[in-house]
Amino acid sequence: MRDLQTSSRLRAAARLLAGVSLFAFGLAAVRAQTPSAPPMRLARVEFEGLERVTRDDALARGGLQAGQTVTVEQIEEAAQRLSQSGLFRNLGYTIKGTTDAAVLTFKVEEMRWGVPVVFDNFIWFTDEELTEAVRRRVPTFDGTAPEGGGVTDEITRALQELLRSRNIEGTVEYMGSADAAGRHGEHVFTVKGAALRVCALSFPGARTVTEEELVRMSAPVFDNEYSRVFVSGFLASNLLPLYHERGLLRASFGPLRVTKAAPSEECAQGLAVAAPVDEGSAYVWGGAEWTGQQAMTPQELNIALGMRTRDVAGSAKLEKGLEAVRRAYGRKGYLTARVTGAPEFDDANRRVLYRFNVTEGPQYRMGALTLDGLDERDTNNMKVRWRILPGEVFDAGYPDEFVKKNVQEFARDLLRDGRKPTFTKAGYNLRVDNDKLTVDVTLEFKN
């Protein structure tokens, strides 16, 4: 019988999965004590750091139980299996006691879960059936998975086994998606090779926008194999704006319902997809509240926004008004002004108030004025007409106005003087210097 008072360190971290590190705790390695560590009988196998993973699941994945006689190599293999499960960010172990009564303790740090799992086109099963199938391999599955690790591989295997059990052809493929900020958005699992074509599309609950118009606007849905992710995204991006423009700001599509389509000449075998619509109420404009502004007053901002009390709070009109606000800031030299807003709904009166926050950014000034395409005499003539002097606040709307008005007047002046204009069109380019906060303008005259 030999005392085991210190921990064993893994021999080859390079063999581990990417992103998972293994570490050991204690003063020295057992294998450093003797050329060949003796086998040991496990009195207990313990885990420290388990949160969502159950002890029984961890034991099953490691493959070691109390009462077994094992070598250090077998313990390292168990640690390897645990790390490859994808459930742990970090993992190590300690061995204490004697060779006749060793206590093996795995010290773990679990993966952080929270990325939603999406079953894309598993039309043969309910979400509950899919979830149960995954839980047979991943008992802690709750509809989410870690960003990295091997859990997605386990889910793929579970779903493939489910297809096989029903004699359904197709290969399960995994694809990660990202949100607008580049963060991990969803884990998407899809059946490839299932040939699931959309033959019919309906919109139960559609009233304000007719079902005929919604179907007509959904032509791309019929041109692709069925995908819950694609169809849901398409409806949100292309059809919800039809409701928002009418002030139905809370309109939404419910979960898709998929059934076999009635056979037809155009579509012998395919799917009928129903997208229930909850239109909600139409809201009218209830006003705006502004914060963060200094260069413009709330009254000026409201005038630029152009929304009037009791107007239908259509999204297209609101976006046009916000663009007018940005242009108004541009005319005061604030070229990078941003406006963000959040609606506050008054359901009792069907009104919506928007709380806008303005980030004005720096104020830019006029830099150099350059003219291309004119001789010296005409260049000087045009420069005299330009009204923003170097160092003055830059007006982002002025160059366009100048080209539209002064260039035409200049051409007429040339004709009155008996001179034929040497150009047929004119335009301008702006060069913004974000360090000096200046804008250089180049007026271009071309044949």
Side-chain angles (χ1 to χ4, degrees), residues 383-417:
K383 281 186 175 182
V384 170
R385 298 168 185 257
W386 185 266
R387 298 303 183 193
I388 309 178
L389 300 178
E392 290 184 346
V393 172
F394 183 73
D395 178 351
Y398 181 70
D400 193 55
E401 291 178 354
F402 181 86
V403 168
K404 290 178 178 178
K405 178 183 177 182
N406 288 277
V407 171
Q408 292 179 357
E409 290 183 353
F410 178 57
R412 287 195 294 267
D413 289 347
L414 291 177
L415 292 173
R416 280 196 297 267
D417 293 341

PDB file of all heavy atoms in Angstrom, residues 383-417:
ATOM      1  N   LYS A 383     -15.629  80.758 -57.709  1.00  0.00           N
ATOM      2  CA  LYS A 383     -15.223  80.845 -56.306  1.00  0.00           C
ATOM      3  C   LYS A 383     -15.887  82.035 -55.607  1.00  0.00           C
ATOM      4  O   LYS A 383     -16.219  81.962 -54.426  1.00  0.00           O
ATOM      5  CB  LYS A 383     -13.707  80.958 -56.202  1.00  0.00           C
ATOM      6  CG  LYS A 383     -12.983  79.634 -56.375  1.00  0.00           C
ATOM      7  CD  LYS A 383     -11.488  79.785 -56.103  1.00  0.00           C
ATOM      8  CE  LYS A 383     -10.790  78.427 -56.153  1.00  0.00           C
ATOM      9  NZ  LYS A 383      -9.347  78.542 -55.843  1.00  0.00           N
ATOM     10  N   VAL A 384     -16.088  83.113 -56.381  1.00  0.00           N
ATOM     11  CA  VAL A 384     -16.743  84.278 -55.793  1.00  0.00           C
ATOM     12  C   VAL A 384     -18.182  83.946 -55.394  1.00  0.00           C
ATOM     13  O   VAL A 384     -18.713  84.484 -54.414  1.00  0.00           O
ATOM     14  CB  VAL A 384     -16.714  85.460 -56.793  1.00  0.00           C
ATOM     15  CG1 VAL A 384     -17.595  86.599 -56.310  1.00  0.00           C
ATOM     16  CG2 VAL A 384     -15.285  85.943 -56.991  1.00  0.00           C
ATOM     17  N   ARG A 385     -18.805  83.055 -56.115  1.00  0.00           N
ATOM     18  CA  ARG A 385     -20.189  82.695 -55.834  1.00  0.00           C
ATOM     19  C   ARG A 385     -20.322  81.796 -54.590  1.00  0.00           C
ATOM     20  O   ARG A 385     -21.394  81.709 -54.015  1.00  0.00           O
ATOM     21  CB  ARG A 385     -20.795  81.963 -57.040  1.00  0.00           C
ATOM     22  CG  ARG A 385     -20.838  82.823 -58.301  1.00  0.00           C
ATOM     23  CD  ARG A 385     -21.169  81.962 -59.516  1.00  0.00           C
ATOM     24  NE  ARG A 385     -21.110  82.737 -60.758  1.00  0.00           N
ATOM     25  CZ  ARG A 385     -22.177  83.194 -61.422  1.00  0.00           C
ATOM     26  NH1 ARG A 385     -23.389  82.943 -60.963  1.00  0.00           N
ATOM     27  NH2 ARG A 385     -22.039  83.879 -62.540  1.00  0.00           N
ATOM     28  N   TRP A 386     -19.248  81.085 -54.236  1.00  0.00           N
ATOM     29  CA  TRP A 386     -19.273  80.173 -53.081  1.00  0.00           C
ATOM     30  C   TRP A 386     -19.338  80.973 -51.784  1.00  0.00           C
ATOM     31  O   TRP A 386     -18.542  81.858 -51.560  1.00  0.00           O
ATOM     32  CB  TRP A 386     -18.032  79.279 -53.102  1.00  0.00           C
ATOM     33  CG  TRP A 386     -18.024  78.238 -52.023  1.00  0.00           C
ATOM     34  CD1 TRP A 386     -17.446  78.339 -50.807  1.00  0.00           C
ATOM     35  CD2 TRP A 386     -18.635  76.939 -52.071  1.00  0.00           C
ATOM     36  NE1 TRP A 386     -17.634  77.197 -50.078  1.00  0.00           N
ATOM     37  CE2 TRP A 386     -18.368  76.311 -50.842  1.00  0.00           C
ATOM     38  CE3 TRP A 386     -19.374  76.266 -53.036  1.00  0.00           C
ATOM     39  CZ2 TRP A 386     -18.813  75.026 -50.544  1.00  0.00           C
ATOM     40  CZ3 TRP A 386     -19.810  74.988 -52.750  1.00  0.00           C
ATOM     41  CH2 TRP A 386     -19.541  74.374 -51.518  1.00  0.00           C
ATOM     42  N   ARG A 387     -20.291  80.653 -50.899  1.00  0.00           N
ATOM     43  CA  ARG A 387     -20.573  81.493 -49.737  1.00  0.00           C
ATOM     44  C   ARG A 387     -19.948  81.028 -48.426  1.00  0.00           C
ATOM     45  O   ARG A 387     -19.932  81.803 -47.465  1.00  0.00           O
ATOM     46  CB  ARG A 387     -22.086  81.603 -49.545  1.00  0.00           C
ATOM     47  CG  ARG A 387     -22.807  82.252 -50.716  1.00  0.00           C
ATOM     48  CD  ARG A 387     -22.263  83.633 -50.994  1.00  0.00           C
ATOM     49  NE  ARG A 387     -22.980  84.307 -52.073  1.00  0.00           N
ATOM     50  CZ  ARG A 387     -22.552  85.419 -52.669  1.00  0.00           C
ATOM     51  NH1 ARG A 387     -21.401  85.948 -52.283  1.00  0.00           N
ATOM     52  NH2 ARG A 387     -23.251  85.973 -53.645  1.00  0.00           N
ATOM     53  N   ILE A 388     -19.455  79.781 -48.327  1.00  0.00           N
ATOM     54  CA  ILE A 388     -18.883  79.323 -47.052  1.00  0.00           C
ATOM     55  C   ILE A 388     -17.374  79.542 -47.082  1.00  0.00           C
ATOM     56  O   ILE A 388     -16.664  78.955 -47.899  1.00  0.00           O
ATOM     57  CB  ILE A 388     -19.181  77.824 -46.800  1.00  0.00           C
ATOM     58  CG1 ILE A 388     -20.666  77.519 -46.964  1.00  0.00           C
ATOM     59  CG2 ILE A 388     -18.729  77.426 -45.397  1.00  0.00           C
ATOM     60  CD1 ILE A 388     -21.003  76.053 -46.785  1.00  0.00           C
ATOM     61  N   LEU A 389     -16.895  80.411 -46.213  1.00  0.00           N
ATOM     62  CA  LEU A 389     -15.474  80.726 -46.165  1.00  0.00           C
ATOM     63  C   LEU A 389     -14.725  79.688 -45.340  1.00  0.00           C
ATOM     64  O   LEU A 389     -15.299  79.038 -44.447  1.00  0.00           O
ATOM     65  CB  LEU A 389     -15.263  82.114 -45.565  1.00  0.00           C
ATOM     66  CG  LEU A 389     -15.917  83.279 -46.315  1.00  0.00           C
ATOM     67  CD1 LEU A 389     -15.673  84.592 -45.577  1.00  0.00           C
ATOM     68  CD2 LEU A 389     -15.393  83.349 -47.745  1.00  0.00           C
ATOM     69  N   PRO A 390     -13.412  79.510 -45.608  1.00  0.00           N
ATOM     70  CA  PRO A 390     -12.620  78.581 -44.803  1.00  0.00           C
ATOM     71  C   PRO A 390     -12.715  78.922 -43.310  1.00  0.00           C
ATOM     72  O   PRO A 390     -12.632  80.085 -42.918  1.00  0.00           O
ATOM     73  CB  PRO A 390     -11.196  78.779 -45.328  1.00  0.00           C
ATOM     74  CG  PRO A 390     -11.395  79.245 -46.742  1.00  0.00           C
ATOM     75  CD  PRO A 390     -12.624  80.104 -46.694  1.00  0.00           C
ATOM     76  N   GLY A 391     -12.940  77.886 -42.493  1.00  0.00           N
ATOM     77  CA  GLY A 391     -13.042  78.093 -41.051  1.00  0.00           C
ATOM     78  C   GLY A 391     -14.459  78.286 -40.558  1.00  0.00           C
ATOM     79  O   GLY A 391     -14.719  78.165 -39.354  1.00  0.00           O
ATOM     80  N   GLU A 392     -15.386  78.605 -41.474  1.00  0.00           N
ATOM     81  CA  GLU A 392     -16.773  78.750 -41.059  1.00  0.00           C
ATOM     82  C   GLU A 392     -17.434  77.375 -40.912  1.00  0.00           C
ATOM     83  O   GLU A 392     -16.971  76.381 -41.461  1.00  0.00           O
ATOM     84  CB  GLU A 392     -17.548  79.585 -42.081  1.00  0.00           C
ATOM     85  CG  GLU A 392     -17.150  81.046 -42.107  1.00  0.00           C
ATOM     86  CD  GLU A 392     -17.993  81.869 -43.065  1.00  0.00           C
ATOM     87  OE1 GLU A 392     -18.710  81.265 -43.911  1.00  0.00           O
ATOM     88  OE2 GLU A 392     -17.965  83.113 -42.948  1.00  0.00           O
ATOM     89  N   VAL A 393     -18.527  77.342 -40.174  1.00  0.00           N
ATOM     90  CA  VAL A 393     -19.249  76.087 -39.978  1.00  0.00           C
ATOM     91  C   VAL A 393     -19.683  75.539 -41.332  1.00  0.00           C
ATOM     92  O   VAL A 393     -20.245  76.267 -42.161  1.00  0.00           O
ATOM     93  CB  VAL A 393     -20.475  76.301 -39.069  1.00  0.00           C
ATOM     94  CG1 VAL A 393     -21.342  75.042 -39.037  1.00  0.00           C
ATOM     95  CG2 VAL A 393     -20.030  76.669 -37.655  1.00  0.00           C
ATOM     96  N   PHE A 394     -19.418  74.258 -41.548  1.00  0.00           N
ATOM     97  CA  PHE A 394     -19.754  73.647 -42.837  1.00  0.00           C
ATOM     98  C   PHE A 394     -21.227  73.286 -42.873  1.00  0.00           C
ATOM     99  O   PHE A 394     -21.777  72.707 -41.935  1.00  0.00           O
ATOM    100  CB  PHE A 394     -18.911  72.399 -43.072  1.00  0.00           C
ATOM    101  CG  PHE A 394     -19.158  71.763 -44.405  1.00  0.00           C
ATOM    102  CD1 PHE A 394     -18.696  72.352 -45.574  1.00  0.00           C
ATOM    103  CD2 PHE A 394     -19.887  70.579 -44.508  1.00  0.00           C
ATOM    104  CE1 PHE A 394     -18.943  71.788 -46.807  1.00  0.00           C
ATOM    105  CE2 PHE A 394     -20.134  69.997 -45.736  1.00  0.00           C
ATOM    106  CZ  PHE A 394     -19.661  70.601 -46.895  1.00  0.00           C
ATOM    107  N   ASP A 395     -21.866  73.620 -43.980  1.00  0.00           N
ATOM    108  CA  ASP A 395     -23.278  73.309 -44.212  1.00  0.00           C
ATOM    109  C   ASP A 395     -23.335  72.153 -45.207  1.00  0.00           C
ATOM    110  O   ASP A 395     -23.046  72.317 -46.398  1.00  0.00           O
ATOM    111  CB  ASP A 395     -23.993  74.537 -44.769  1.00  0.00           C
ATOM    112  CG  ASP A 395     -25.462  74.272 -45.087  1.00  0.00           C
ATOM    113  OD1 ASP A 395     -25.895  73.106 -45.039  1.00  0.00           O
ATOM    114  OD2 ASP A 395     -26.173  75.248 -45.397  1.00  0.00           O
ATOM    115  N   ALA A 396     -23.701  70.941 -44.716  1.00  0.00           N
ATOM    116  CA  ALA A 396     -23.670  69.749 -45.569  1.00  0.00           C
ATOM    117  C   ALA A 396     -24.669  69.814 -46.716  1.00  0.00           C
ATOM    118  O   ALA A 396     -24.508  69.113 -47.716  1.00  0.00           O
ATOM    119  CB  ALA A 396     -23.939  68.509 -44.720  1.00  0.00           C
ATOM    120  N   GLY A 397     -25.691  70.662 -46.623  1.00  0.00           N
ATOM    121  CA  GLY A 397     -26.661  70.771 -47.696  1.00  0.00           C
ATOM    122  C   GLY A 397     -26.287  71.790 -48.753  1.00  0.00           C
ATOM    123  O   GLY A 397     -26.887  71.793 -49.844  1.00  0.00           O
ATOM    124  N   TYR A 398     -25.306  72.647 -48.465  1.00  0.00           N
ATOM    125  CA  TYR A 398     -24.983  73.744 -49.366  1.00  0.00           C
ATOM    126  C   TYR A 398     -24.367  73.300 -50.691  1.00  0.00           C
ATOM    127  O   TYR A 398     -24.738  73.838 -51.754  1.00  0.00           O
ATOM    128  CB  TYR A 398     -24.066  74.740 -48.671  1.00  0.00           C
ATOM    129  CG  TYR A 398     -23.709  75.925 -49.524  1.00  0.00           C
ATOM    130  CD1 TYR A 398     -24.667  76.891 -49.852  1.00  0.00           C
ATOM    131  CD2 TYR A 398     -22.419  76.093 -50.022  1.00  0.00           C
ATOM    132  CE1 TYR A 398     -24.350  77.988 -50.642  1.00  0.00           C
ATOM    133  CE2 TYR A 398     -22.089  77.179 -50.806  1.00  0.00           C
ATOM    134  CZ  TYR A 398     -23.048  78.123 -51.123  1.00  0.00           C
ATOM    135  OH  TYR A 398     -22.725  79.205 -51.907  1.00  0.00           O
ATOM    136  N   PRO A 399     -23.429  72.349 -50.735  1.00  0.00           N
ATOM    137  CA  PRO A 399     -22.831  71.978 -52.033  1.00  0.00           C
ATOM    138  C   PRO A 399     -23.874  71.555 -53.055  1.00  0.00           C
ATOM    139  O   PRO A 399     -23.782  71.925 -54.236  1.00  0.00           O
ATOM    140  CB  PRO A 399     -21.891  70.819 -51.668  1.00  0.00           C
ATOM    141  CG  PRO A 399     -21.516  71.086 -50.244  1.00  0.00           C
ATOM    142  CD  PRO A 399     -22.759  71.642 -49.623  1.00  0.00           C
ATOM    143  N   ASP A 400     -24.872  70.778 -52.640  1.00  0.00           N
ATOM    144  CA  ASP A 400     -25.898  70.337 -53.582  1.00  0.00           C
ATOM    145  C   ASP A 400     -26.710  71.534 -54.088  1.00  0.00           C
ATOM    146  O   ASP A 400     -27.002  71.639 -55.291  1.00  0.00           O
ATOM    147  CB  ASP A 400     -26.811  69.330 -52.902  1.00  0.00           C
ATOM    148  CG  ASP A 400     -27.706  68.605 -53.894  1.00  0.00           C
ATOM    149  OD1 ASP A 400     -27.180  68.016 -54.855  1.00  0.00           O
ATOM    150  OD2 ASP A 400     -28.941  68.657 -53.715  1.00  0.00           O
ATOM    151  N   GLU A 401     -27.061  72.438 -53.169  1.00  0.00           N
ATOM    152  CA  GLU A 401     -27.803  73.632 -53.574  1.00  0.00           C
ATOM    153  C   GLU A 401     -26.972  74.495 -54.520  1.00  0.00           C
ATOM    154  O   GLU A 401     -27.490  75.042 -55.502  1.00  0.00           O
ATOM    155  CB  GLU A 401     -28.192  74.446 -52.343  1.00  0.00           C
ATOM    156  CG  GLU A 401     -29.237  73.780 -51.460  1.00  0.00           C
ATOM    157  CD  GLU A 401     -29.549  74.624 -50.235  1.00  0.00           C
ATOM    158  OE1 GLU A 401     -28.862  75.655 -50.047  1.00  0.00           O
ATOM    159  OE2 GLU A 401     -30.460  74.251 -49.471  1.00  0.00           O
ATOM    160  N   PHE A 402     -25.695  74.616 -54.241  1.00  0.00           N
ATOM    161  CA  PHE A 402     -24.807  75.440 -55.058  1.00  0.00           C
ATOM    162  C   PHE A 402     -24.741  74.921 -56.481  1.00  0.00           C
ATOM    163  O   PHE A 402     -24.853  75.686 -57.453  1.00  0.00           O
ATOM    164  CB  PHE A 402     -23.407  75.462 -54.442  1.00  0.00           C
ATOM    165  CG  PHE A 402     -22.435  76.312 -55.204  1.00  0.00           C
ATOM    166  CD1 PHE A 402     -22.338  77.681 -54.963  1.00  0.00           C
ATOM    167  CD2 PHE A 402     -21.615  75.751 -56.184  1.00  0.00           C
ATOM    168  CE1 PHE A 402     -21.444  78.471 -55.676  1.00  0.00           C
ATOM    169  CE2 PHE A 402     -20.724  76.531 -56.897  1.00  0.00           C
ATOM    170  CZ  PHE A 402     -20.643  77.890 -56.646  1.00  0.00           C
ATOM    171  N   VAL A 403     -24.572  73.605 -56.626  1.00  0.00           N
ATOM    172  CA  VAL A 403     -24.467  73.023 -57.962  1.00  0.00           C
ATOM    173  C   VAL A 403     -25.764  73.217 -58.742  1.00  0.00           C
ATOM    174  O   VAL A 403     -25.752  73.575 -59.923  1.00  0.00           O
ATOM    175  CB  VAL A 403     -24.094  71.525 -57.862  1.00  0.00           C
ATOM    176  CG1 VAL A 403     -24.264  70.835 -59.223  1.00  0.00           C
ATOM    177  CG2 VAL A 403     -22.664  71.364 -57.365  1.00  0.00           C
ATOM    178  N   LYS A 404     -26.902  72.979 -58.070  1.00  0.00           N
ATOM    179  CA  LYS A 404     -28.183  73.076 -58.760  1.00  0.00           C
ATOM    180  C   LYS A 404     -28.499  74.510 -59.179  1.00  0.00           C
ATOM    181  O   LYS A 404     -29.082  74.741 -60.241  1.00  0.00           O
ATOM    182  CB  LYS A 404     -29.303  72.555 -57.867  1.00  0.00           C
ATOM    183  CG  LYS A 404     -29.250  71.041 -57.663  1.00  0.00           C
ATOM    184  CD  LYS A 404     -30.363  70.579 -56.735  1.00  0.00           C
ATOM    185  CE  LYS A 404     -30.339  69.070 -56.567  1.00  0.00           C
ATOM    186  NZ  LYS A 404     -31.400  68.600 -55.621  1.00  0.00           N
ATOM    187  N   LYS A 405     -28.130  75.503 -58.351  1.00  0.00           N
ATOM    188  CA  LYS A 405     -28.506  76.883 -58.632  1.00  0.00           C
ATOM    189  C   LYS A 405     -27.425  77.655 -59.382  1.00  0.00           C
ATOM    190  O   LYS A 405     -27.649  78.167 -60.485  1.00  0.00           O
ATOM    191  CB  LYS A 405     -28.827  77.605 -57.331  1.00  0.00           C
ATOM    192  CG  LYS A 405     -29.177  79.074 -57.513  1.00  0.00           C
ATOM    193  CD  LYS A 405     -29.426  79.755 -56.178  1.00  0.00           C
ATOM    194  CE  LYS A 405     -29.712  81.243 -56.376  1.00  0.00           C
ATOM    195  NZ  LYS A 405     -29.924  81.946 -55.095  1.00  0.00           N
ATOM    196  N   ASN A 406     -26.224  77.709 -58.817  1.00  0.00           N
ATOM    197  CA  ASN A 406     -25.198  78.602 -59.344  1.00  0.00           C
ATOM    198  C   ASN A 406     -24.602  78.125 -60.659  1.00  0.00           C
ATOM    199  O   ASN A 406     -24.216  78.941 -61.496  1.00  0.00           O
ATOM    200  CB  ASN A 406     -24.086  78.778 -58.314  1.00  0.00           C
ATOM    201  CG  ASN A 406     -24.527  79.630 -57.141  1.00  0.00           C
ATOM    202  OD1 ASN A 406     -24.500  80.855 -57.195  1.00  0.00           O
ATOM    203  ND2 ASN A 406     -24.945  78.971 -56.073  1.00  0.00           N
ATOM    204  N   VAL A 407     -24.496  76.821 -60.836  1.00  0.00           N
ATOM    205  CA  VAL A 407     -23.932  76.319 -62.087  1.00  0.00           C
ATOM    206  C   VAL A 407     -24.834  76.680 -63.259  1.00  0.00           C
ATOM    207  O   VAL A 407     -24.362  77.083 -64.327  1.00  0.00           O
ATOM    208  CB  VAL A 407     -23.708  74.785 -62.003  1.00  0.00           C
ATOM    209  CG1 VAL A 407     -23.340  74.221 -63.369  1.00  0.00           C
ATOM    210  CG2 VAL A 407     -22.612  74.467 -60.991  1.00  0.00           C
ATOM    211  N   GLN A 408     -26.140  76.564 -63.069  1.00  0.00           N
ATOM    212  CA  GLN A 408     -27.065  76.952 -64.140  1.00  0.00           C
ATOM    213  C   GLN A 408     -26.979  78.450 -64.408  1.00  0.00           C
ATOM    214  O   GLN A 408     -26.987  78.888 -65.571  1.00  0.00           O
ATOM    215  CB  GLN A 408     -28.487  76.560 -63.760  1.00  0.00           C
ATOM    216  CG  GLN A 408     -28.716  75.050 -63.716  1.00  0.00           C
ATOM    217  CD  GLN A 408     -30.132  74.700 -63.299  1.00  0.00           C
ATOM    218  OE1 GLN A 408     -30.931  75.592 -62.989  1.00  0.00           O
ATOM    219  NE2 GLN A 408     -30.447  73.406 -63.286  1.00  0.00           N
ATOM    220  N   GLU A 409     -26.923  79.241 -63.351  1.00  0.00           N
ATOM    221  CA  GLU A 409     -26.806  80.698 -63.530  1.00  0.00           C
ATOM    222  C   GLU A 409     -25.502  81.046 -64.232  1.00  0.00           C
ATOM    223  O   GLU A 409     -25.448  81.935 -65.093  1.00  0.00           O
ATOM    224  CB  GLU A 409     -26.882  81.398 -62.178  1.00  0.00           C
ATOM    225  CG  GLU A 409     -28.254  81.346 -61.532  1.00  0.00           C
ATOM    226  CD  GLU A 409     -28.289  82.113 -60.222  1.00  0.00           C
ATOM    227  OE1 GLU A 409     -27.203  82.554 -59.777  1.00  0.00           O
ATOM    228  OE2 GLU A 409     -29.380  82.261 -59.651  1.00  0.00           O
ATOM    229  N   PHE A 410     -24.421  80.323 -63.855  1.00  0.00           N
ATOM    230  CA  PHE A 410     -23.120  80.584 -64.462  1.00  0.00           C
ATOM    231  C   PHE A 410     -23.161  80.278 -65.968  1.00  0.00           C
ATOM    232  O   PHE A 410     -22.627  81.039 -66.784  1.00  0.00           O
ATOM    233  CB  PHE A 410     -22.068  79.717 -63.757  1.00  0.00           C
ATOM    234  CG  PHE A 410     -20.684  79.867 -64.334  1.00  0.00           C
ATOM    235  CD1 PHE A 410     -20.062  81.105 -64.397  1.00  0.00           C
ATOM    236  CD2 PHE A 410     -20.005  78.767 -64.816  1.00  0.00           C
ATOM    237  CE1 PHE A 410     -18.788  81.245 -64.916  1.00  0.00           C
ATOM    238  CE2 PHE A 410     -18.729  78.889 -65.331  1.00  0.00           C
ATOM    239  CZ  PHE A 410     -18.109  80.125 -65.386  1.00  0.00           C
ATOM    240  N   ALA A 411     -23.823  79.174 -66.340  1.00  0.00           N
ATOM    241  CA  ALA A 411     -23.919  78.819 -67.755  1.00  0.00           C
ATOM    242  C   ALA A 411     -24.714  79.886 -68.514  1.00  0.00           C
ATOM    243  O   ALA A 411     -24.347  80.264 -69.647  1.00  0.00           O
ATOM    244  CB  ALA A 411     -24.574  77.451 -67.898  1.00  0.00           C
ATOM    245  N   ARG A 412     -25.789  80.401 -67.908  1.00  0.00           N
ATOM    246  CA  ARG A 412     -26.571  81.451 -68.587  1.00  0.00           C
ATOM    247  C   ARG A 412     -25.750  82.735 -68.722  1.00  0.00           C
ATOM    248  O   ARG A 412     -25.831  83.430 -69.730  1.00  0.00           O
ATOM    249  CB  ARG A 412     -27.858  81.713 -67.802  1.00  0.00           C
ATOM    250  CG  ARG A 412     -28.891  80.594 -67.936  1.00  0.00           C
ATOM    251  CD  ARG A 412     -30.260  81.073 -67.454  1.00  0.00           C
ATOM    252  NE  ARG A 412     -30.255  81.346 -66.011  1.00  0.00           N
ATOM    253  CZ  ARG A 412     -30.599  80.460 -65.084  1.00  0.00           C
ATOM    254  NH1 ARG A 412     -30.952  79.231 -65.439  1.00  0.00           N
ATOM    255  NH2 ARG A 412     -30.591  80.802 -63.812  1.00  0.00           N
ATOM    256  N   ASP A 413     -24.942  83.062 -67.693  1.00  0.00           N
ATOM    257  CA  ASP A 413     -24.102  84.259 -67.768  1.00  0.00           C
ATOM    258  C   ASP A 413     -23.097  84.141 -68.909  1.00  0.00           C
ATOM    259  O   ASP A 413     -22.826  85.124 -69.632  1.00  0.00           O
ATOM    260  CB  ASP A 413     -23.359  84.464 -66.443  1.00  0.00           C
ATOM    261  CG  ASP A 413     -24.285  84.895 -65.316  1.00  0.00           C
ATOM    262  OD1 ASP A 413     -25.442  85.279 -65.611  1.00  0.00           O
ATOM    263  OD2 ASP A 413     -23.871  84.820 -64.133  1.00  0.00           O
ATOM    264  N   LEU A 414     -22.531  82.956 -69.086  1.00  0.00           N
ATOM    265  CA  LEU A 414     -21.573  82.757 -70.174  1.00  0.00           C
ATOM    266  C   LEU A 414     -22.252  82.975 -71.532  1.00  0.00           C
ATOM    267  O   LEU A 414     -21.681  83.612 -72.437  1.00  0.00           O
ATOM    268  CB  LEU A 414     -20.965  81.350 -70.107  1.00  0.00           C
ATOM    269  CG  LEU A 414     -20.027  81.054 -68.930  1.00  0.00           C
ATOM    270  CD1 LEU A 414     -19.561  79.598 -68.961  1.00  0.00           C
ATOM    271  CD2 LEU A 414     -18.812  81.986 -68.954  1.00  0.00           C
ATOM    272  N   LEU A 415     -23.453  82.448 -71.678  1.00  0.00           N
ATOM    273  CA  LEU A 415     -24.166  82.596 -72.945  1.00  0.00           C
ATOM    274  C   LEU A 415     -24.500  84.057 -73.210  1.00  0.00           C
ATOM    275  O   LEU A 415     -24.431  84.528 -74.361  1.00  0.00           O
ATOM    276  CB  LEU A 415     -25.442  81.743 -72.931  1.00  0.00           C
ATOM    277  CG  LEU A 415     -25.233  80.219 -72.941  1.00  0.00           C
ATOM    278  CD1 LEU A 415     -26.559  79.501 -72.754  1.00  0.00           C
ATOM    279  CD2 LEU A 415     -24.574  79.780 -74.261  1.00  0.00           C
ATOM    280  N   ARG A 416     -24.882  84.801 -72.169  1.00  0.00           N
ATOM    281  CA  ARG A 416     -25.175  86.233 -72.361  1.00  0.00           C
ATOM    282  C   ARG A 416     -23.923  86.992 -72.790  1.00  0.00           C
ATOM    283  O   ARG A 416     -24.009  87.986 -73.509  1.00  0.00           O
ATOM    284  CB  ARG A 416     -25.729  86.826 -71.066  1.00  0.00           C
ATOM    285  CG  ARG A 416     -27.210  86.525 -70.847  1.00  0.00           C
ATOM    286  CD  ARG A 416     -27.787  87.442 -69.782  1.00  0.00           C
ATOM    287  NE  ARG A 416     -27.155  87.227 -68.475  1.00  0.00           N
ATOM    288  CZ  ARG A 416     -27.598  86.405 -67.539  1.00  0.00           C
ATOM    289  NH1 ARG A 416     -28.711  85.701 -67.777  1.00  0.00           N
ATOM    290  NH2 ARG A 416     -26.967  86.269 -66.403  1.00  0.00           N
ATOM    291  N   ASP A 417     -22.749  86.527 -72.342  1.00  0.00           N
ATOM    292  CA  ASP A 417     -21.484  87.169 -72.719  1.00  0.00           C
ATOM    293  C   ASP A 417     -20.977  86.686 -74.068  1.00  0.00           C
ATOM    294  O   ASP A 417     -19.885  87.062 -74.506  1.00  0.00           O
ATOM    295  CB  ASP A 417     -20.403  86.899 -71.668  1.00  0.00           C
ATOM    296  CG  ASP A 417     -20.711  87.591 -70.341  1.00  0.00           C
ATOM    297  OD1 ASP A 417     -21.526  88.539 -70.347  1.00  0.00           O
ATOM    298  OD2 ASP A 417     -20.138  87.175 -69.294  1.00  0.00           O
TER     299      ASP A 417
END
